[in-house]
Amino acid sequence: MAASAPSKCFLVTGPPGIGKTTLVMRVLDTLSTSNPNLKIHGFYSREVREGSERVGFEVVTVDGKKGSLASSTISSPESLRWPSVGKYRVDVASFESLVMPELQVKDDTDLFVIDEVGKMELFSSSFFPAVLNVLNSNIPLLATVPIPKFGRDIPGVARLKNHPGAALFTLNKTNRDSVKEQIYSQISELLHKP
């Protein structure tokens, strides 16, 4: 029996607030410091707060462009037609305009980062096909996925987890540093292969 190929898809999961985005950012910082010429494409999501209250989420590309993902404070007539998750209305057009160019597979890309493949992002009909295109490109992918709700994954997330090249890392408070080191060393090894 042949040995399995090393993972090229690194999925990080865990409960909300456990540090998935922080882990991704720490891996990116370490990779960028040790490999300053890396071509990394993708995005991460972060909370938007007014005082101590979370009022939405924004997406930020690896090169620093920002755009709205979801908000609980926007109440334009247009936003009333947007899909919602809990109290948040998802701005699919803003998300797609920022993220879709980042997910274009190009020969010079060394790594893709997608934070996250979740319910809000999956309201975009273009997003998941682009994620699958990245996954099938043979370019390493570091992505976050939500923990299953009520024991069931979102279908797209289940598909990623079941991909033959995927490795799933479940974060908790005690393993965050070791998981960061594992992912960093595995991606570094992939990037340094001829």
Side-chain angles (χ1 to χ4, degrees):
M1 183 179 219
S4 64
S7 297
K8 289 209 171 184
C9 174
F10 303 88
L11 301 175
V12 180
T13 192
I18 198 69
K20 296 181 292 291
T21 298
T22 301
L23 180 135
V24 167
M25 298 311 296
R26 288 177 61 210
V27 169
L28 282 183
D29 287 346
T30 308
L31 282 169
S32 297
T33 301
S34 59
N35 304 280
N37 296 323
L38 277 183
K39 299 277 192 284
I40 303 172
H41 294 280
F43 71 95
Y44 62 95
S45 306
R46 68 179 177 199
E47 294 181 347
V48 175
R49 293 190 165 272
E50 287 180 2
S52 62
E53 182 186 3
R54 183 172 66 195
V55 296
F57 297 90
E58 69 179 355
V59 287
V60 183
T61 62
V62 171
D63 62 359
K65 294 182 220 110
K66 299 175 191 168
S68 175
L69 171 60
S71 174
S72 63
T73 58
I74 294 177
S75 58
S76 67
E78 178 191 2
S79 72
L80 297 177
R81 293 191 300 273
W82 295 350
S84 60
V85 175
K87 68 178 184 176
Y88 303 104
R89 295 207 171 269
V90 181
D91 187 344
V92 174
S94 169
F95 173 74
E96 287 180 344
S97 69
L98 197 64
V99 166
M100 296 314 295
E102 288 294 308
L103 299 182
Q104 298 300 309
V105 174
K106 298 178 181 122
D107 288 340
D108 68 341
T109 302
D110 296 309
L111 175 68
F112 281 102
V113 174
I114 301 174
D115 172 38
E116 96 174 331
V117 180
K119 192 170 184 178
M120 290 182 186
E121 296 83 1
L122 289 167
F123 277 119
S124 162
S125 60
S126 308
F127 177 64
F128 195 67
V131 171
L132 290 178
N133 197 28
V134 165
L135 194 59
N136 293 325
S137 72
N138 214 26
I139 296 168
L141 166 64
L142 173 57
T144 63
V145 294
I147 201 135
K149 266 203 170 151
F150 310 113
R152 295 186 59 130
D153 271 319
I154 300 166
V157 171
R159 194 162 166 195
L160 286 180
K161 286 180 175 181
N162 290 322
H163 191 275
L168 183 66
F169 298 85
T170 302
L171 279 191
N172 61 49
K173 288 179 181 172
T174 61
N175 72 357
R176 290 184 287 206
D177 290 335
S178 64
V179 168
K180 181 246 174 199
E181 288 305 320
Q182 275 182 280
I183 292 172
Y184 167 74
S185 64
Q186 289 180 37
I187 291 175
S188 278
E189 196 174 307
L190 282 173
L191 295 173
H192 288 94
K193 287 191 174 172

